[in-house]
């Protein structure tokens, strides 16, 4: 019974906020195509930022490189956590619990739940994964993460609370994973920098 109740909770939490955003989408059709492209393919920006972090870390110490190499893993860990939460909560997508709302994105299959948002988690996890490496890159990632989270609501894929919680989970989990990687991975990177992998791990 708990799962069934939670499956319909989304519209009761912030359904009015959700429809306020999707009503904006209804009246800005010129933006909808770009929003739909960004909400999926914009995740590539976060891969680029992590690659930039690795490139920058080549000119820094082994500790920085350990964080940079672990960044994608930290993001995957955060994503895995949200997938576990998503399957446990089983919140229906807005397109199913609020079928009369304006939805830009095609409604996912019935078993694809809304809470939390995988896209927003990946975005926020990139912020957390880069935080201990380069605060400027992390700040850039944060700006893009806010846009990514907003786009998920705009296209009708998630409620505001879905993306808000995802931003917190993604950042915290990735930050903790990054801290662990810094501690455990630094000795490994130090050793590898003296071998054949040195060009990938250190500049010059």
């Amino acid at each position: 019974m708990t799962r069934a109740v939670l499956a319909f909770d989304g519209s009761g939490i912030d359904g009015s906020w959700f429809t306020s955003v999707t009503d904006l989408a209804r009246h800005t059709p010129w933006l909808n195509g770009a929003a739909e492209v960004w909400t999926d393919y914009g995740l590539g920006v976060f891969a680029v930022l992590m690659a930039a972090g690795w490139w920058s870390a080549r000119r820094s110490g082994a500790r920085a490189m350990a964080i940079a190499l672990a960044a994608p893993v930290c993001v995957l860990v955060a994503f895995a956590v949200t997938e576990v939460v998503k399957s446990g909560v089983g919140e229906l997508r807005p397109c199913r619990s609020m079928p009369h709302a304006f939805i830009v994105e095609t409604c996912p299959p019935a078993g694809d739940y809304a809470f939390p948002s995988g896209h927003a988690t990946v975005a926020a996890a990139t912020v957390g994964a880069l935080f201990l490496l380069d605060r400027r890159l992390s700040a850039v990632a944060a700006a893009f993460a806010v846009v990514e989270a907003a786009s998920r609501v705009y296209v009708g894929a998630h409620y505001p609370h879905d993306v808000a919680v995802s931003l917190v989970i993604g950042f915290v989990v990735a930050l903790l994973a990054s801290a662990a990687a810094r501690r455990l991975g630094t000795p490994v990177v130090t050793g590898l920098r003296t071998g054949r992998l040195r060009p990938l791990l250190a500049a010059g």
Side-chain angles (χ1 to χ4, degrees), residues 6 10 17 19-20 31 35-36 38 44 49 55-56 58-59 71 86 97 116 131 138 143-144 150 153 157 174 191 198:
L6 286 175
W17 290 7
T19 54
S20 294
L31 183 59
E36 197 166 12
W38 163 262
L49 290 172
W55 185 258
S56 175
R58 292 172 67 249
R59 299 187 296 273
K86 181 177 290 190
S97 56
F131 188 78
S138 182
F144 281 114
V153 181
R198 178 176 173 78

Side-chain angles (χ1 to χ4, degrees), residues 3 85 95 155 172:
R3 187 184 181 100
V85 175
C95 58
V155 300
V172 172

Side-chain angles (χ1 to χ4, degrees), residues 59-112:
R59 299 187 296 273
S60 302
R63 185 168 63 174
M65 180 54 71
I67 298 171
L69 292 177
V73 178
C74 296
V75 172
L76 288 175
V77 170
F79 182 78
V81 169
T82 56
E83 286 300 295
V84 172
V85 175
K86 181 177 290 190
S87 62
V89 174
E91 180 189 81
L92 293 177
R93 291 277 184 170
C95 58
R96 299 189 180 279
S97 56
M98 301 186 71
H100 300 299
F102 181 79
I103 307 292
V104 174
E105 189 174 81
T106 302
C107 194
D112 188 341

Side-chain angles (χ1 to χ4, degrees), residues 22-56:
T22 57
D23 281 346
L24 173 63
R26 186 196 303 273
H27 294 100
T28 53
W30 53 270
L31 183 59
N32 296 352
E36 197 166 12
V37 170
W38 163 262
T39 198
D40 288 323
Y41 298 104
L43 292 178
V45 170
F46 301 101
V48 171
L49 290 172
M50 284 187 281
W54 160 75
W55 185 258
S56 175

